[in-house]
Structures are given as structure tokens and as C-alpha cells.
Amino acid sequence: MKTFMLPLLALLISAPTLANNIKEIRFGVDPTFAPFESKDIDGKVIGFDVDLGNAICQKLQAKCVWVENNFDGIIPALKARKFDAILSGMYVTDKRKEQIDFSNKLYNGPVFLVARKGAFTAPDVKVLKGKTIGVEQGSAQETYANKYWRNAGVNVVAYQGADRVIQDLESGRIDGAVLSGVMAEYSFLKKPQGKDYAFVGGALQDNNLFGAGAAIGLRKDDAALREAINGAIAEILADGTYKKLASQYFSFDIYSGA
């Protein structure tokens, strides 16, 4: 028993010291993913990811700094040390894990094909063949569309920013879009311009792409920062902070995606 307890005791003793050594966390973010991250009328970055980041920083008694970066270049920017961590709806995938490390899970959310009502009966490659589908460049949604649809005759077009995907969907330049269900509903379907559009069928399934959920991306040599952030995530989950913040944005359990 004593042998088992010693490593745990050492971890608990070192955790406050580790947190106290972190004075500032610079989070990379692409503010085009409402309600996760966007800008208010004053140009301030806001959203659920921002609230989570601020709660994490508060637990670590560190200052949060938000650094804007296009999503498709956000991993290279992290590796180039333009910021310390990625907090921008980044889902954990095997491909990304080859380049960077991740914190424990922050949330999970379904991914859907979105199109004009009645345009498609299902998100099936046989139905989509010959059609043009928009995705955000560098996203798990792009990986999904390329993996299952591109080689089967579906024209997959990647955009810098989910807002541009929605703009071209609304204008009719693309036939559909693969989007985070939360973001699509919040930023498009619930607004007047989205009244003629809907999710096509059920959520798209790929455990390797979507099953692990979204987390904070970190450099592989920043193990200390990762452990400190994981500790802060555990605290906000345990003390009700996470649930309180999530309830301001979602009517369902965003942590599990159910």
C-alpha cells in the first residue's frame, strides 16, 4: 500500500507547484466556429471554448491570451511556437497525434451533412455522386469527406473557415456541407437564412475521426503544460464549472455528445 501511495502523493504535492510555474497560456484559435469561438461586435473573441480556456486559466492562476490563426494552419503555427496550445474545436485523430499531443477530452459533438431540405435522402455516396460538398480545410470533416466520398465521384471543396462553407451553401455554389452539428445549428439552421436547410439523415460515423472527441492540442515536448491543463479540466468537471458553462450554450450533454 505504501509503495502504491508514494507516486500518487508525489503527484499531488507537485501539482500546485507545476500550476504556479505557469503564468500565461497563449491559446491559438480560429474565431469562425460559433458557438465555440467567434467575435463579438467589438472584435473580442468569445464562445464556449473561450469560456473553458478562461476557466482553465483561472484554476491555474494563469493569464489567458488568445491568438487568432486559420484552422488549416493551426498545427504548424503551434509547432512554430506562435502560441502554447490549440483551443479551437480540434478533434483528436491518429493523424494529428503523429504531430502533436492532446489534453484529456473537452467535449464531443455529432457531425452532419447539411443541405437544402429535400435535396438528399441520406448522406450516402450513391446519392452524393456528382454533387459538390463543402468542408473546412484542415478539419476532421474534410478528412471524412475525402476518405469516403472523394474517390467515389463526389466533388469535395475545402474552404478556409466554416463561415465560408456556409456562405457558399446558402448561395447555391455547393450542394451540401459537412459541418459540426452544433456549429451548423447555432450559426445557420436556427437563423432566418437557414430555414430552408436541414441535417441530412443521422450523424456521420467514424470512430477514428470523431470518437475521441475534441481536446486541447499541445506540442509533444510540453508534457508539464499538458498535465497542468488536464488537472484543471478535471477540476472544472468535478466542481460544476463545466456544466454551468455548457448550459449557457447547449441543450444536450456536449461532453458525451449525446
Side-chain angles (χ1 to χ4, degrees):
M1 180 64 72
K2 288 182 179 179
T3 303
F4 172 79
M5 289 298 293
L6 283 174
L8 178 58
L9 182 60
L11 179 62
L12 292 173
I13 292 172
S14 65
T17 303
L18 178 61
N20 290 339
N21 288 335
I22 300 171
K23 304 301 181 184
E24 177 181 281
I25 304 176
R26 296 171 300 144
F27 283 117
V29 62
D30 180 352
T32 65
F33 292 88
F36 295 101
E37 57 270 337
S38 60
K39 287 184 177 181
D40 64 13
I41 58 174
D42 298 319
K44 180 182 177 182
V45 180
I46 59 172
F48 183 53
D49 279 339
V50 177
D51 289 350
L52 288 178
N54 286 329
I56 289 168
C57 286
Q58 185 177 15
K59 293 296 184 184
L60 298 177
Q61 297 182 352
K63 178 183 177 183
C64 267
V65 177
W66 301 96
V67 182
E68 295 180 33
N69 202 97
N70 286 336
F71 194 82
D72 62 325
I74 208 164
I75 289 180
L78 171 68
K79 296 172 75 172
R81 298 187 177 273
K82 292 184 179 180
F83 37 80
D84 305 308
I86 299 169
L87 184 45
S88 194
M90 178 160 282
Y91 277 73
V92 180
T93 66
D94 290 339
K95 184 176 180 180
R96 287 172 178 161
K97 285 166 68 176
E98 293 175 1
Q99 301 185 67
I100 61 174
D101 279 346
F102 286 92
S103 71
N104 292 339
K105 186 178 75 170
L106 277 183
Y107 50 78
N108 207 346
V111 172
F112 289 92
L113 174 65
V114 179
R116 187 174 289 276
K117 293 177 180 177
F120 303 118
T121 55
D124 187 282
V125 66
K126 295 177 182 179
V127 176
L128 300 177
K129 187 175 182 179
K131 303 298 183 180
T132 300
I133 304 298
V135 293
E136 182 175 18
Q137 192 171 18
S139 67
Q141 292 93 306
E142 179 187 20
T143 303
Y144 180 94
N146 286 338
K147 178 179 179 180
Y148 291 103
W149 298 343
R150 182 182 289 277
N151 293 333
V154 180
N155 182 28
V156 178
V157 179
Y159 295 79
Q160 284 193 343
D163 54 341
R164 294 185 181 181
V165 181
I166 291 175
Q167 286 172 8
D168 271 15
L169 177 62
E170 185 182 352
S171 69
R173 284 189 284 270
I174 57 178
D175 301 298
V178 180
L179 299 164
S180 156
V182 175
M183 189 280 295
E185 187 174 58
Y186 190 92
S187 300
F188 183 53
L189 298 179
K190 286 188 174 181
K191 294 185 176 181
Q193 60 267 37
K195 64 181 178 63
D196 295 325
Y197 297 80
F199 295 135
V200 178
L204 303 178
Q205 300 296 322
D206 187 313
N207 285 335
N208 289 331
L209 291 177
F210 309 132
I216 295 173
L218 301 114
R219 289 184 290 272
K220 287 184 176 290
D221 58 358
D222 276 348
L225 179 59
R226 184 182 69 247
E227 292 307 312
I229 286 176
N230 282 342
I233 292 172
E235 284 190 48
I236 66 173
L237 284 167
D239 69 10
T241 300
Y242 185 99
K243 185 176 182 180
K244 180 179 178 181
L245 294 175
S247 67
Q248 298 174 23
Y249 294 92
F250 312 110
S251 59
F252 58 91
D253 180 2
I254 187 65
Y255 188 78
S256 68

